[in-house]
Amino acid sequence: MFKDSTHSQVLYRTASLLALVTIGYNIFEGVISVLIGATDETLSLFGFGLDSFVEVVSGIGIWHMMRRLQQGEEDRRDEFERRALQITGGSFYVLSVGLLVTAGLSFWEGHQPKTTFWGIIIALVSIFSMWFLIRQKNRVGKELNSAAILADAACTRACLLLSVALLFASIGYELTGIGRMDSLGALFIAWLSWKEGREAFGKARGVACKCSCSCG
């Protein structure tokens, strides 16, 4: 019994560490993506970076939940986590509207970024990172039989989808030179952000997760 309890504590500490790694990675990814996206006039990369910043707020809520679970509290959201989800949802809505308007204008004007090379690199790094986090969260969640951790792992797949969208938009521009490929990528990221915002508000109300990044 003591051994099982000690092992569970180790797993909960691992879950908390994974949440902190996710937060740190999103901050780093957000800064790099926004700076390079602005410099290279790559709208899809810029929007991808802003999305990463929003996910930091969600990640803080998830980390808070992992800490509570480690202390033996119920697998139920407290006021801090619900407020984090509400802030996350509102931020995703603002981001999606801003990207929709900007990407729409860029598409209409046929704007061309200077290059999307760095978008390809960042997307590939992000895909690998999300894949690693999904595997680790699934492992910990299954060993602890924790619905919260498994839901977090499942919802991280939507973050991977955002990275795939950035990758295809960036490769598409590099291969074709068609500037609207970047705008289409930004529009798709705006759509995914809107879904993330809607599901974040749903989670704050206790609605079941449909696997957006904001779900914890």
Side-chain angles (χ1 to χ4, degrees):
M1 180 66 69
F2 178 75
K3 181 178 180 181
D4 289 342
S5 176
T6 301
H7 183 58
S8 295
Q9 286 298 310
V10 171
L11 289 173
Y12 276 122
R13 283 197 294 270
T14 301
S16 296
L17 178 60
L18 288 171
L20 286 174
V21 169
T22 303
I23 293 169
Y25 176 80
N26 278 323
I27 292 174
F28 177 76
E29 179 183 77
V31 170
I32 297 299
S33 298
V34 166
L35 289 176
I36 296 179
T39 301
D40 292 343
E41 299 180 8
T42 308
L43 185 57
S44 57
L45 180 57
F46 186 82
F48 180 78
L50 293 180
D51 187 278
S52 297
F53 285 133
V54 177
E55 287 164 12
V56 170
V57 180
S58 175
I60 292 172
I62 293 170
W63 174 77
H64 178 73
M65 177 183 285
M66 294 304 104
R67 296 289 294 175
R68 287 196 305 103
L69 293 176
Q70 184 179 348
Q71 296 168 5
E73 297 186 27
E74 291 186 1
D75 190 355
R76 185 179 302 173
R77 287 182 177 80
D78 63 9
E79 182 59 30
F80 179 88
E81 291 152 19
R82 286 192 293 271
R83 184 58 59 86
L85 283 168
Q86 291 169 349
I87 294 173
T88 299
S91 299
F92 273 130
Y93 278 160
V94 171
L95 172 60
S96 62
V97 171
L99 277 178
L100 179 64
V101 173
T102 307
L105 290 174
S106 295
F107 186 87
W108 177 262
E109 296 172 354
H111 171 76
Q112 287 188 292
K114 295 179 180 178
T115 178
T116 56
F117 170 78
W118 288 110
I120 297 174
I121 301 301
I122 292 173
L124 289 173
V125 172
S126 182
I127 288 171
F128 174 79
S129 301
M130 293 302 105
W131 171 82
F132 173 79
L133 289 171
I134 290 168
R135 284 179 59 89
Q136 295 304 311
K137 290 176 182 179
N138 268 325
R139 179 184 65 81
V140 174
K142 288 177 181 177
E143 289 196 50
L144 288 171
N145 194 27
S146 170
I149 297 175
L150 289 173
D152 180 29
C155 294
T156 304
R157 294 191 182 98
C159 300
L160 191 149
L161 181 59
L162 280 165
S163 305
V164 172
L166 173 64
L167 179 63
F168 274 95
S170 300
I171 290 178
Y173 175 74
E174 289 297 319
L175 291 178
T176 66
I178 299 174
R180 288 187 173 89
M181 295 293 294
D182 179 53
S183 300
L184 287 173
L187 287 170
F188 188 63
I189 290 173
W191 176 69
L192 289 174
S193 295
W194 183 269
K195 288 186 62 180
E196 290 178 284
R198 182 180 60 193
E199 290 174 9
F201 277 117
K203 291 298 288 182
R205 296 192 302 268
V207 178
C209 178
K210 295 182 181 178
C211 296
S212 76
C213 295
S214 54
C215 300

